[in-house]
Amino acid sequence: MATATVHPNIALVKYWGKRDRDLNLPSTGSLSMTLSDFATTTSVVFGAAQDEVMINGELATGLPASRVLKHLDLIQPDRAPARVVSTNNFPTAAGLASSSSGFAALTLAALKALNIDHTPAQASILARQGSGSASRSIWGGFVEWRRGVKKDGTDSHGLHIAPPDHWKLNMVIAVVDQGQKSVGSTEGMLRTMATSPMYSAWVSSWQKDLDGARQGILDQDLEMVGRAMEASTLKMFATMFTSSPPIRYWRPASVAIQDEVSKLRKAGINCWWTMDAGPNVKVLCEPEDAPAVADALQHHVEDVHTLGVGGHPVVEE
Ligand code: DP6
């Protein structure tokens, strides 16, 4: 038996689209900040009477259960039946990156339970095949996921670019809706790839955003990171809006919060927004500005969380 506690990550430069579906290889590089406080804790025991997956206290069935079991098969094809118990201390599948921490925790707990020696990059490659964003949750702090060029995906894994204590940034999260999203990320990406005329522009223009965000993190230059993050976010959504049928996760409150961030910036508060596959808005700022940002967001939604930069996974036997 082994247990892993892993923080989710939020992409500052986005992953959206796959160059290989079977190996889950991305069409673009991406870069994230690991979140403090929010976490997934997953225990795995091999040698159970039969496979069983519990997610947030309930027996999982259908796709959520089969994705977990398939992931264990990938880690060890001739494995014994397993019992998996996974709990999130934050809303699941609501655009708050639960699949990033979920598949990273499952990977690390299973590797430990099976006593399989591995490097973080090898764990990241396995986690990537469960859910792409999970490749970045193998570390705390700031992580880049290299697009890679190899067909077998061995060069497409996370790279730790700065530790958790490198820069005390805050992410203020406005929960516009904690319900599960209507279109999952995987389905949304596949639809975008198949139907959006903007997709090719997205795939040919990400490198500049990634280089800008990486340099901004290394230099602790929030404006540089913020500009790259908003550019990457808006381009990702442009591909979604122009898919057929369109994918539009934004709600009126999401847009109102984007306007609020512009207003705050005009008032001299250095803050920048991003969104993912859901209506929630995440605002990046320095800790001294976080109370003012959180106050402003609270005019639009009740549920606001101020989180810092999260630490590395913790894995125990
Ligand atoms: C918008 O990692 O959930 O959050 O690999 O298909 O499981 P799959 O997708 P997933 O997609 C995350 C998309 C995103 C952007 C990001 O986290 O980079």
Side-chain angles (χ1 to χ4, degrees):
M1 153 125 173
T3 301
T5 299
V6 175
H7 296 293
N9 69 77
I10 297 295
L12 310 180
V13 174
K14 305 295 179 181
Y15 148 55
W16 192 257
K18 302 171 193 279
R19 68 181 168 92
D20 182 313
R21 215 183 141 180
D22 293 334
L23 291 171
N24 209 26
L25 299 174
S27 302
T28 64
S30 58
L31 186 151
S32 62
M33 169 177 144
T34 304
L35 293 179
S36 67
D37 299 272
F38 283 5
T40 300
T41 299
T42 300
S43 300
V44 181
V45 176
F46 288 95
Q50 57 183 45
D51 282 338
E52 187 177 89
V53 181
M54 303 285 295
I55 299 178
N56 294 328
E58 285 176 22
L59 185 66
T61 54
L63 190 62
S66 64
R67 271 183 89 181
V68 167
L69 297 171
K70 207 176 125 213
H71 196 62
L72 296 181
D73 295 341
L74 171 79
I75 294 171
Q76 188 160 81
D78 56 352
R79 69 179 176 83
R83 179 173 155 82
V84 177
V85 179
S86 186
T87 312
N88 290 330
N89 70 356
F90 64 100
T92 300
L96 292 173
S98 58
S99 73
S100 66
S101 48
F103 277 94
L106 180 66
T107 303
L108 292 172
L111 286 170
K112 182 79 176 180
L114 292 164
N115 267 317
I116 298 176
D117 271 344
H118 59 274
T119 61
Q122 286 165 335
S124 174
I125 285 174
L126 287 168
R128 181 200 80 215
Q129 292 172 79
S131 185
S133 52
S135 67
R136 301 184 306 239
S137 266
I138 300 295
W139 297 265
F142 299 89
V143 181
E144 180 176 338
W145 172 15
R146 284 276 164 94
R147 176 192 184 276
V149 291
K150 291 189 182 167
K151 265 199 151 79
D152 65 2
T154 49
D155 58 350
S156 184
H157 54 74
L159 273 185
H160 191 219
I161 60 169
D165 60 0
H166 165 69
W167 189 10
K168 289 203 176 343
L169 268 187
N170 275 175
M171 195 169 271
V172 184
I173 300 187
V175 182
V176 171
D177 185 346
Q178 26 176 313
Q180 298 218 348
K181 52 203 176 197
S182 49
V183 181
S185 314
T186 309
E187 185 192 339
M189 282 184 210
L190 297 179
R191 192 190 299 172
T192 299
M193 291 161 64
T195 64
S196 171
M198 306 294 165
Y199 185 68
S200 55
W202 162 250
V203 171
S204 61
S205 69
W206 58 274
Q207 186 75 56
K208 187 172 155 254
D209 300 328
L210 192 110
D211 292 343
R214 187 198 303 106
Q215 198 56 51
I217 285 165
L218 296 175
D219 295 349
Q220 301 184 6
D221 181 337
L222 180 55
E223 181 169 343
M224 197 169 176
V225 176
R227 284 194 191 286
M229 178 175 79
E230 288 193 3
S232 172
T233 304
L234 286 164
K235 277 189 280 180
M236 175 182 76
F237 281 107
T239 69
M240 295 186 202
F241 295 159
T242 50
S243 292
S244 176
I247 303 163
R248 192 174 54 88
Y249 294 112
W250 296 11
R251 297 282 173 277
S254 320
V255 179
I257 291 167
Q258 295 171 19
D259 288 346
E260 192 71 58
V261 169
S262 300
K263 257 204 267 171
L264 286 165
R265 260 198 326 251
K266 279 194 192 111
I269 294 180
N270 194 7
C271 61
W272 304 83
W273 67 272
T274 188
M275 291 175 65
D276 293 287
N280 305 323
V281 188
K282 297 113 186 177
V283 182
L284 203 57
C285 64
E286 304 274 2
E288 65 262 30
D289 292 326
V293 170
D295 258 12
L297 301 197
Q298 232 132 19
H299 289 122
H300 301 276
V301 295
E302 275 173 21
D303 202 4
V304 174
H305 304 263
T306 300
L307 305 175
V309 181
H312 296 300
V314 175
V315 187
E316 290 160 337
E317 247 168 336

